[in-house]
Structure formats: C-alpha cells, structure tokens
Amino acid sequence: LVKEYIDRTFAVLEEMEQELRKLDNPHGLLTIAAPEFYCTHYLSLIIHSYISHNPKVKLQLFSCDSNDAMKKVATNEADLAIIAGPCDSPIMETLPLGKEDLVLVTTRELYEKYDAKILMETYPFITYKSGSNIQRLVNECLEEYGFTPDNYIECETDETIKRTVLYHTGIALLGSALVEEELRKGTLA
C-alpha cells in the first residue's frame, strides 16, 4: 500500500518537473496591444529577434490607442500593453521604456510665413480625441505654456494628426520620434 502511494507521488513529482522544465522555453500565445506607431516603428523591429529566441511563442499584435491597449490588458484580451503616457491603473504593473519629447510642429511654409503667436491664434490646433491617454500629456504641456486653443481638430491617430498638419491645416504637439523624419527633411518645422 505504501509503495503504491509512493509510486503515485513520484509520478506526480515527475509530471510537475516536466511542466516546470517547459517554463525554461517560453511557449504559447503572447498578445501585445499598442498604438500603430509603436507596432510599426518599434515592435516590428524586434519581433524577428524575439521569435528567433522563442520559436514556440506565437505573437499576436493589436493596433489600438493607448486607452484601448490598457483596457485589453485589464480584460485579459492582451498580456501586455505598450502605451504613450502614464498608466494609473492599480491592477497593472508598469515599467517605463523611455521618455519622448513632445514638439510643436507645423509645415515649413506656415512656419516661414507666420510667427508662432499668429500661427497659434489663427490656425487650428490638431490634437488627439478628448479623454485619450496621450491627450492628457498634451493638455499638461499646453497648461505649462499657458496656451488654450480656441480652434482645434480632434483625431484618432498619430498618423492622422501628422498628415493633417502636413496638409497645411494647422499646428500640433506630437512625439518627436513620430515626426523625426519630417523634421530632418524640412517638411515640418
């Protein structure tokens, strides 16, 4: 009777050790939610390397705004969110990956034609939709400089804001990485 229980105990221990050894090699599905800019400019660069080191992991990327990315983690639709701005959720653990400057941009033509004060008073401020995570940062920056735009256009994505500015529509506060190439080329100032 004792031998029978000991054999079962050792069998369970062996099964547990096999399962624990699997943890040495990540496997399964890893779902990441992030804004489109992060998906295309950062995640796409590291996916190949990650999959090479972890071939048994299947990756799933959700492109969505930062608020939706946090909601997906909170509802277990995603394992990880990469977001712009702070995460105030008490149920999530956060790790800052870096900081990025917000820069006030417009087209080179408008910048050369008008001074900053006239631009800010005359042209619409192109920004993120109200309540979005990144809009909180934009609002803090605007408050810091004492600027309250009277005329503004709300957009869903970074790319929409950037394109709207590029079509000479107005000014915007955008992450420096998002407009780095346009600033270097001189299409934005």
Side-chain angles (χ1 to χ4, degrees):
L1 183 63
V2 170
K3 182 184 178 327
E4 193 177 306
Y5 279 101
I6 288 175
D7 287 346
R8 278 196 261 167
T9 301
F10 282 129
V12 168
L13 285 172
E14 178 61 31
E15 185 181 332
M16 180 183 72
E17 286 177 4
Q18 287 175 6
E19 291 299 314
L20 289 173
R21 278 193 291 276
K22 286 181 184 177
L23 296 177
D24 291 338
N25 297 308
H27 60 284
L29 177 65
L30 175 62
T31 303
I32 303 170
E36 181 70 20
F37 180 75
Y38 295 139
C39 287
T40 57
H41 287 79
Y42 297 115
L43 291 176
S44 60
L45 298 172
I46 62 171
I47 287 173
H48 176 74
S49 175
Y50 182 83
I51 292 299
S52 296
H53 289 92
N54 303 287
K56 294 186 180 195
V57 174
K58 180 183 173 192
L59 280 178
Q60 185 176 47
L61 300 178
F62 279 118
S63 175
C64 53
D65 71 18
S66 294
N67 287 5
D68 288 338
M70 289 185 289
K71 285 177 191 169
K72 287 188 181 303
V73 171
T75 59
N76 294 317
E77 294 178 63
D79 302 302
L80 170 67
I82 298 174
I83 63 168
C87 175
D88 301 329
S89 174
I91 64 168
M92 291 183 213
E93 183 177 329
T94 62
L95 172 68
L97 297 176
K99 290 189 176 194
E100 182 179 7
D101 291 329
L102 288 175
V103 292
L104 185 65
V105 293
T106 192
T107 59
R108 170 74 51 200
E109 293 82 2
L110 289 177
Y111 177 74
E112 289 174 351
K113 192 173 182 179
Y114 304 105
D115 70 19
K117 186 176 183 335
I118 296 211
L119 269 172
M120 294 170 87
E121 290 172 353
T122 309
Y123 283 85
F125 183 73
I126 304 154
T127 191
Y128 299 89
K129 66 180 180 179
S130 296
S132 66
N133 206 44
I134 189 75
Q135 184 58 36
R136 288 175 32 199
L137 294 175
V138 169
N139 288 343
E140 288 172 13
C141 188
L142 294 176
E143 285 174 22
E144 185 178 327
Y145 287 95
F147 176 60
T148 306
D150 293 326
N151 185 9
Y152 59 90
I153 300 169
E154 289 186 354
C155 300
E156 287 280 330
T157 66
D158 296 318
E159 193 61 29
T160 304
I161 294 171
K162 182 169 73 171
R163 293 280 163 214
T164 305
V165 170
L166 283 167
Y167 288 120
H168 310 288
T169 307
I171 59 173
L173 264 178
L174 291 169
S176 58
L178 177 67
V179 293
E180 180 178 12
E181 184 178 336
E182 289 80 4
L183 290 171
R184 190 175 32 79
K185 286 179 179 177
T187 53
L188 289 178

